[in-house]
Amino acid sequence: MAFSKMTLHSYVVLILCVTCTLHTSRADTVDVFVGSAWKLTMGLCIGSDYQVFAGDFNGDGRQDVLCHNTKTGSKEIYYSRSDGSLIAERAWKKNMEWCYHNGAQLFVGDFNGDGRTDMLCHDSKGYKWVSLAQPGGVFLGTSWRRNIGWCLDDGDVLVADFNADGRDDMLCQRNRDGYKWISYANQDGSFSGTDWYLGMGWCTGTNGHLFTGDFNGDRRADLLCHDHNNGYKWVALATTSGTFTATSWEGNLGWCYHRGAEIFIGDFNKDKRDDMICTDGAGKKWIAYSGVDGSFTGTDWEREMNWCMSGNKFLIADVNGDGGDDMVCHTPSNGYKYIAFNQIP
């Protein structure tokens, strides 16, 4: 893959002299996560047939937990309280029989811009369905559907707001050559087809893992490519029109590529820029904060938490609505839920 080279810039604070710089943030003197502050046996999503998602389904500014049964299409939502705990006794549940057929994949995002997280079903033949969240954060069924023949079985879908219009869009990447397509969401939460495409040749092959996040804080979702073979990173910043051209930053960080390591994206220091968190099977956590230009310098915080280890499902969600992403851990074997709240003031 060919990438353009760009000088690495970091978020710096001037100390005593013009040439002396140090990467700092509000989180430097704060232990971002200290462990479980809330836990409960909820009986939710027990077994291998279930997937869990985070989203603000009722539009109250706090993210909730949705459980999707991949075999029956049944859905359950557990809403978050103002303190970030989950309301187990008032969950919504419906056997929707929605997005469970062969080749179907469920995604969540706010597709009509009303502040509530909706559901998108994509299948390998290019058919799409949208179910819009209703007031109160419940779902009735399909709100829109169409066979747009978009992103077939040789492509991967990512959902994010690339053009900063308040609605989440779809990006399709064909992994064998890095070709990318974007379909922007319409005002009613529907999609018309390809609005932009480019043969970027970017983040290709079996080692490349593609993520989305707003790394420079301009409200447009950017792309991050992580090579899980050596920890190299590339960032492509979204243009003002919500498209992509080439690499904006790259760095051989050697970060989060050991066995069992996974990267998740979220804003952990409350600066309105998305960062990276790395978690592994032993439950250790590392955070790399993004700079003002969307670059990264390496580990800014780490802790041997022994929290949400191998076999559990790890989620990033702002469950208490304070602007900093928290960690949610789900145990598939018994439905137990744990939350570690972000400690940044």
Side-chain angles (χ1 to χ4, degrees), residues 22-236:
L22 178 68
H23 182 79
T24 64
S25 79
R26 286 185 297 167
D28 287 342
T29 58
V30 177
D31 203 352
V32 187
F33 296 105
V34 296
S36 297
W38 178 88
K39 58 184 178 180
L40 184 67
T41 303
M42 298 180 68
L44 171 67
C45 286
I46 298 176
S48 60
D49 293 341
Y50 291 90
Q51 295 176 329
V52 289
F53 300 85
D56 182 5
F57 300 105
N58 56 2
D60 64 0
R62 303 186 298 267
Q63 291 191 300
D64 317 300
V65 173
L66 177 145
C67 178
H68 163 60
N69 189 312
T70 60
K71 298 298 183 184
T72 67
S74 178
K75 310 282 186 293
E76 300 176 49
I77 297 177
Y78 283 60
Y79 305 106
S80 59
R81 297 184 178 93
S82 58
D83 64 357
S85 61
L86 299 175
I87 306 174
E89 66 273 15
R90 289 197 288 121
W92 170 85
K93 181 177 181 179
K94 185 175 182 178
N95 187 15
M96 293 180 67
E97 298 183 347
W98 201 87
C99 203
Y100 68 101
H101 59 282
N102 288 337
Q105 289 180 280
L106 185 68
F107 299 88
V108 297
D110 182 2
F111 303 114
N112 62 349
D114 65 356
R116 296 188 293 264
T117 301
D118 312 305
M119 296 189 295
L120 167 77
C121 185
H122 153 76
D123 76 11
S124 57
K125 303 304 179 185
Y127 215 109
K128 307 287 181 288
W129 298 258
V130 170
S131 182
L132 296 176
Q134 304 302 306
V138 302
F139 292 89
L140 302 179
T142 298
S143 307
W144 169 86
R145 62 182 174 183
R146 184 179 172 187
N147 185 6
I148 60 176
W150 199 86
C151 205
L152 307 181
D153 53 12
D154 59 348
D156 290 333
V157 171
L158 293 91
V159 170
D161 182 4
F162 299 106
N163 57 357
D165 63 359
R167 301 189 297 268
D168 283 321
D169 314 302
M170 295 188 296
L171 180 142
C172 179
Q173 159 150 302
R174 191 165 59 195
N175 293 320
R176 69 172 184 268
D177 56 12
Y179 216 103
K180 296 182 178 52
W181 298 260
I182 293 178
S183 181
Y184 300 113
N186 299 317
Q187 290 184 349
D188 61 356
S190 65
F191 294 89
S192 302
T194 298
D195 296 295
W196 170 86
Y197 64 94
L198 184 67
M200 288 181 69
W202 200 88
C203 207
T204 60
T206 58
N207 292 328
H209 194 174
L210 190 65
F211 299 87
T212 64
D214 181 5
F215 302 115
N216 62 348
D218 65 357
R219 298 191 306 113
R220 293 184 290 267
D222 311 305
L223 300 178
L224 181 143
C225 182
H226 161 64
D227 189 324
H228 58 73
N229 186 54
N230 57 24
Y232 208 100
K233 309 282 186 293
W234 299 261
V235 170

